[in-house]
Amino acid sequence: MNRKVGLFFGSFNPIHIGHLIIANHMVEHSDLDEVWLVVTPHNPHKKKSSLLDNHHRLEMVYRACEHFENLKPSNIEFGLEQPNYTVNTLAHLQEKFPTNEFCLIMGEDNLKSLHRWKNYEVILENHQLYVYPRIAEGMVVERFRNHSKITRVEAPIIEISATFIRKSISEGKNVTPLLPDDVWKYIDEMNFYK
């Protein structure tokens, strides 16, 4: 069966309720059959001390998606060459799952910089983009405003940041309302972000 799969990329460090609200909204209020939350691997050429190892971030995404039938964790980029580009991931997925139709989910802030992405024309030629609103500076470039491959989805504007969550945890603040229960338990057990 041909499934329409939305790809939601992120470092998910950690995954929080904002990510889940957007992912679930996309699957419930658009023609997408599933949303895959694609965990972006740690670039080995960059030193990022605050970024947890790939397998820990993937584990949190697994835990977060457990109760959502149409949200799936994905580690597809872990095995791809670094640094990785979205255009390569899309080509790899299309080859691996030829019956799926892969679409890209992004915030409006990313759409504003899409013209700077590697081979963005190839992405737009072969894939649909589903864009959710974000509060951000700047304008969407003219050529993307009424593009036939770009669908705007009226989703809630969520302004929760993983950076804020990590900082709050390190300061001993209670962030439990911002995280799925199973994700918070894992962070707490593993003593992350302290």
Side-chain angles (χ1 to χ4, degrees):
M1 189 177 82
N2 213 350
R3 292 184 74 66
K4 201 165 191 182
V5 177
L7 301 172
F8 187 12
F9 289 82
S11 55
F12 301 116
N13 186 39
I15 187 168
H16 53 67
I17 59 160
H19 296 127
L20 288 178
I21 290 168
I22 295 293
N24 187 63
H25 188 90
M26 286 294 183
V27 89
E28 295 293 338
H29 299 278
S30 75
D31 59 351
L32 296 172
D33 297 306
E34 287 180 352
V35 169
W36 293 4
L37 290 92
V38 182
V39 181
T40 307
H42 181 190
N43 184 331
H45 306 296
K46 284 187 183 163
K47 191 176 187 306
K48 274 212 173 162
S49 55
S50 67
L51 189 64
L52 293 181
D53 283 349
N54 296 343
H55 69 279
H56 288 307
R57 291 179 294 118
L58 182 65
E59 176 62 28
M60 289 191 284
V61 173
Y62 264 103
R63 289 174 179 228
C65 292
E66 222 169 359
H67 307 294
F68 297 89
E69 191 187 342
N70 297 315
L71 302 185
K72 314 277 184 217
S74 172
N75 65 353
I76 196 74
E77 289 199 325
F78 290 8
L80 299 178
E81 200 177 310
Q82 295 291 322
N84 197 22
Y85 296 100
T86 304
V87 69
N88 299 345
T89 303
L90 287 164
H92 178 76
L93 280 168
Q94 210 58 77
E95 200 175 291
K96 194 170 173 170
F97 303 98
T99 61
N100 284 348
E101 181 187 339
F102 289 103
C103 309
L104 211 49
I105 294 172
M106 66 172 61
E108 197 165 14
D109 50 337
N110 282 321
L111 184 61
K112 290 173 184 172
S113 62
L114 182 66
H115 59 288
R116 293 197 289 270
W117 286 28
K118 180 183 164 122
N119 297 350
Y120 78 88
E121 307 93 338
V122 176
I123 294 173
L124 275 175
E125 199 178 304
N126 298 303
H127 303 277
Q128 258 185 295
L129 268 59
Y130 287 74
V131 177
Y132 59 89
R134 290 293 301 262
I135 298 169
E137 298 292 312
M139 298 286 288
V140 172
V141 291
E142 189 64 45
R143 73 191 100 147
F144 301 147
R145 289 216 190 119
N146 294 305
H147 198 287
S148 62
K149 288 286 188 90
I150 299 173
T151 304
R152 284 184 166 68
V153 179
E154 282 309 314
I157 294 177
I158 309 289
E159 291 295 311
I160 300 171
S161 91
T163 307
F164 172 78
I165 290 171
R166 291 193 305 273
K167 184 176 184 291
S168 299
I169 291 172
S170 76
E171 293 169 355
K173 310 264 192 245
N174 180 354
V175 294
T176 54
L178 302 176
L179 298 161
D181 288 346
D182 292 343
V183 171
W184 166 247
K185 281 184 195 135
Y186 189 68
I187 290 171
D188 195 37
E189 278 164 25
M190 301 296 285
N191 236 4
F192 288 146
Y193 310 124
K194 296 247 164 100

